[in-house]
Amino acid sequence: MQIDEPTEKRLLDCTGFFCPLPVVKTKLALESMKSGEVLKVTADDPGAKKDFPAWCSATGNGLIRTEERDGTFVFYIRKK
Amino acid sequence: MKEKMTIIFFSGTMDKAVAALILATTAASMGMEVTVFFTFWGLGFLKKGRKFAGKNLFQRMLEIMLPKNRNSLPLTCFNMMGMGPWMMEKLMKQTRTPGIEELFGLAKELKVRLVPCSTSCGVMGADRENFIDGVEEPAGAAFYLKEAKEAKINLFI
């Protein structure tokens, strides 16, 4: 089966930032993007693992893929 | 209609201001309309300078005892005559935890509403011109309760 690889329009590096900065910066970054475009966010706040799925579900933006490598998370978010 | 959240910021201490701002900015980032209602000691957060307009003796005493502005708020515990907040600020910088200024800047960018309680303003002798820019007209309990009634999340901090 072919998996649709998310191709990001923009990259947002939130490594080194604690809550609430990763989600707040994500919200601000998405403001300048078009509906359907994908934002790739990297974060190493341990809370991000639960925060991003919650934030995406509350805002209706699509969390299309999550990766975790050595304590750093990568989230691919498709703008609503 | 947008979902709403309200916070009554009553305590006026630095640690609780950080907690209130974290929740306010996160809720706003989730698309909620956030109103922070500043009552009693919370008014200290909105102060522009040392002085309030009140001319009453007790109001002048309060003016001297209240923090100068949002950057000189005491800690809820371990204040130690100002040593506590100083250490906490250093610690937050070291750990790259967002402080009052960064969070407040984001709150303004996300259009968090800042409303002072009119009764508290009356008691403390504070006028609107004693407050920083971006603060709305003072309002009373009826305004707050109407907002709270429409909001899903209401916090008292």
Side-chain angles (χ1 to χ4, degrees), chain B residues 22-63:
Chain B
I22 286 177
L23 292 166
T25 50
T26 307
S29 86
M30 286 174 153
M32 289 183 236
E33 185 193 305
V34 183
T35 303
V36 185
F37 192 60
F38 293 81
T39 67
F40 230 86
W41 307 116
L43 283 186
F45 186 94
L46 301 177
K47 275 178 92 177
K48 191 155 57 180
R50 166 61 74 192
K51 291 224 175 281
F52 274 161
K55 292 289 169 274
N56 180 301
L57 173 67
F58 291 134
Q59 287 173 342
R60 282 188 183 166
M61 282 166 64
L62 264 176
E63 195 177 86

Side-chain angles (χ1 to χ4, degrees), chain A residues 40-56:
Chain A
K40 178 182 177 182
V41 187
T42 52
D44 59 359
D45 170 10
K49 190 178 184 175
K50 284 185 175 166
D51 273 356
F52 273 87
W55 186 86
C56 287

Side-chain angles (χ1 to χ4, degrees), chain A residues 15-21 23-24 27-28 54-55 58-59, chain B residues 22 25-26 28-30 95-98 102-103 106 109-110:
Chain A
T15 49
F17 293 119
F18 278 109
C19 160
L21 296 180
V23 292
V24 173
K27 139 90 180 166
L28 295 173
W55 186 86
T59 55
Chain B
I22 286 177
T25 50
T26 307
S29 86
M30 286 174 153
T95 54
R96 296 182 69 183
T97 312
E102 186 170 11
L103 290 168
L106 288 168
E109 196 174 342
L110 294 162

Side-chain angles (χ1 to χ4, degrees), chain B residues 6-32:
Chain B
T6 74
I7 294 174
I8 296 182
F9 185 58
F10 180 94
S11 66
T13 49
M14 184 251 227
D15 38 359
K16 293 194 181 187
V18 168
L21 287 171
I22 286 177
L23 292 166
T25 50
T26 307
S29 86
M30 286 174 153
M32 289 183 236

Side-chain angles (χ1 to χ4, degrees), chain B residues 95-139:
Chain B
T95 54
R96 296 182 69 183
T97 312
I100 297 270
E101 277 315 283
E102 186 170 11
L103 290 168
F104 190 54
L106 288 168
K108 284 195 285 191
E109 196 174 342
L110 294 162
K111 301 187 173 57
V112 169
R113 297 180 68 189
L114 312 168
V115 183
C117 159
S118 57
T119 308
S120 305
C121 289
V123 172
M124 303 270 185
D127 270 354
R128 203 178 169 201
E129 53 263 34
N130 298 133
F131 297 135
I132 48 176
D133 291 342
V135 174
E136 293 185 22
E137 291 276 354

